[in-house]
Amino acid sequence: MLSGQPEKKGFFIATLITFWYSSNIGVLLLNKLLLSNYGFKFPIFLTMCHMTACAVLSYVSIVFLKIAPFQRIKSRSQFFRIATLSVVFCGSVVGGNISLRYLPVSFNQAVGATTPFFTALFAYLMTRKQEAWVTYCCLVPVVTGVIIASGGEPSFHLYGFIMCIGATAARAFKSVLQGVLLSSEGEKLNSMNLLLYMSPIAVVVLLPAALVIEPNVIDVTMTLATEHRYLGLLILVNSAMAYGANLLNFLVTKYTSALTLQVLGNAKGAVAVVISILIFQNPVTFIGIAGYTMTVMGVVAYGESKRRHK
């Protein structure tokens, strides 16, 4: 019985990683499908659906299923810090969804891979944290690769590119801000509890934004639902998968390590690019592939350099 335990653990972790890949890539592809192929041009409303699902399912998972220990907010200042993180998080997700309306998934992922560059930049500007010079050198191919990929991208769209860059920067800013705002031991929250508190705040922020910026969202969605009978189901599945991706991020980190998640994330981008090209048949060029490859290699080198110089 004991000899079988390592095999069972290995199978469990492999299953977790498979589901993690499926949920992350699935959300990305479904976002693209909804925003580009169904005439559902409401990225803010779609993000609000995601956050609503995250709020409800986080509560069920923590309070009833006990997947993670429940952590309470201990002060008003801690609540305002979490609210600040939630607003920044909203900006990153909405920006990413808007970019998917105009850019192919492959290019979206290439730009998103520059997150380490923005993380290093914000970490220095906000906390004066410095990395080894070798680590900064690894960021050169990260940025250069995206510049090359942009020049070789047949479906390049300036507005979509700006929104994607903004979403990537906001995602990096949120990770650095989280370290600054919730740095004390008494205020640290695990990722599941942070999502539990951030999601309802995000819904409160996104609902009026959707009603003002996307005023006809309900009418158009109802009309589209009559034309595409599976649209409502796709939005529901998409929202549940958005929560599943966050849950599996937490579980993979818990049963492996943050470094493993980082390595898997690098590979996930490449897998998402290949699958998206096969599904959406978006044109790619050798220059674009070369640029993206350079970016991914730079990200891998950056992660390895940080690990060695810790």
Side-chain angles (χ1 to χ4, degrees):
M1 183 72 178
L2 290 172
S3 62
Q5 290 301 316
E7 293 180 5
K8 288 182 179 179
K9 184 178 179 181
F11 177 75
F12 174 72
I13 291 174
T15 303
L16 268 183
I17 291 171
T18 301
F19 280 120
W20 179 78
Y21 263 79
S22 301
S23 62
N24 275 273
I25 295 174
V27 169
L28 186 65
L29 297 179
L30 276 177
N31 283 349
K32 178 64 177 176
L33 187 69
L34 286 166
L35 295 168
S36 297
N37 292 36
Y38 275 84
F40 182 80
K41 300 178 180 180
F42 305 108
I44 299 176
F45 180 76
L46 182 62
T47 305
M48 191 193 75
C49 292
H50 289 181
M51 291 299 100
T52 302
C54 286
V56 174
L57 295 175
S58 290
Y59 185 81
V60 172
S61 297
I62 293 174
V63 175
F64 293 104
L65 301 181
K66 311 292 184 183
I67 288 176
F70 177 64
Q71 297 172 292
R72 295 185 180 277
I73 294 179
K74 297 180 179 179
S75 65
R76 184 177 297 179
S77 64
Q78 186 185 16
F79 170 77
F80 283 117
R81 291 170 185 176
I82 293 170
T84 302
L85 288 174
S86 182
V87 172
V88 175
F89 180 62
C90 283
S92 69
V93 178
V94 170
N97 285 339
I98 290 174
S99 73
L100 283 172
R101 276 192 61 193
Y102 302 99
L103 299 176
V105 173
S106 53
F107 188 58
N108 175 278
Q109 289 295 285
V111 176
T114 61
T115 301
F117 167 78
F118 289 104
T119 303
L121 177 64
F122 288 130
Y124 177 75
L125 292 175
M126 294 170 64
T127 67
R128 295 300 173 186
K129 180 184 176 183
Q130 296 186 22
E131 306 286 353
W133 68 269
V134 177
T135 305
Y136 286 124
C137 288
C138 293
L139 292 172
V140 175
V142 172
V143 177
T144 305
V146 169
I147 293 171
I148 293 172
S150 301
E153 175 55 52
S155 306
F156 181 84
H157 190 285
L158 182 59
Y159 178 65
F161 176 72
I162 291 171
M163 294 307 298
C164 197
I165 285 286
T168 304
R171 189 161 52 247
F173 182 62
K174 183 252 177 187
S175 66
V176 176
L177 194 63
Q178 183 175 331
V180 173
L181 296 183
L182 302 177
S183 56
S184 66
E185 287 299 321
E187 293 189 343
K188 281 185 179 177
L189 298 173
N190 64 47
S191 59
M192 293 308 299
N193 277 272
L194 188 58
L195 185 66
L196 171 68
Y197 291 118
M198 282 173 52
S199 300
I201 297 171
V203 173
V204 171
V205 172
L206 291 168
L207 179 59
L211 293 175
V212 172
I213 300 172
E214 303 168 344
N216 59 340
V217 58
I218 302 299
D219 293 337
V220 174
T221 301
M222 295 297 289
T223 303
L224 290 172
T226 59
E227 298 174 6
H228 309 283
R229 58 177 180 170
Y230 295 115
L231 178 67
L233 180 61
L234 280 176
I235 294 174
L236 186 64
V237 170
N238 185 227
S239 301
M241 287 180 73
Y243 169 73
N246 284 286
L247 172 63
L248 289 160
N249 278 354
F250 171 76
L251 292 175
V252 170
T253 305
K254 179 180 177 180
Y255 288 101
T256 57
S257 67
L259 179 62
T260 300
L261 189 73
Q262 183 181 9
V263 172
L264 291 171
N266 295 336
K268 180 205 73 179
V271 173
V273 166
V274 173
I275 294 175
S276 70
I277 291 172
L278 293 174
I279 292 176
F280 297 108
Q281 300 290 310
N282 56 284
V284 291
T285 63
F286 174 78
I287 294 176
I289 294 173
Y292 179 66
T293 303
M294 181 184 292
T295 294
V296 172
M297 290 175 66
V299 171
V300 172
Y302 174 79
E304 180 63 19
S305 178
K306 279 198 72 172
R307 185 181 68 81
R308 289 188 177 184
H309 291 88
K310 237 177 186 181

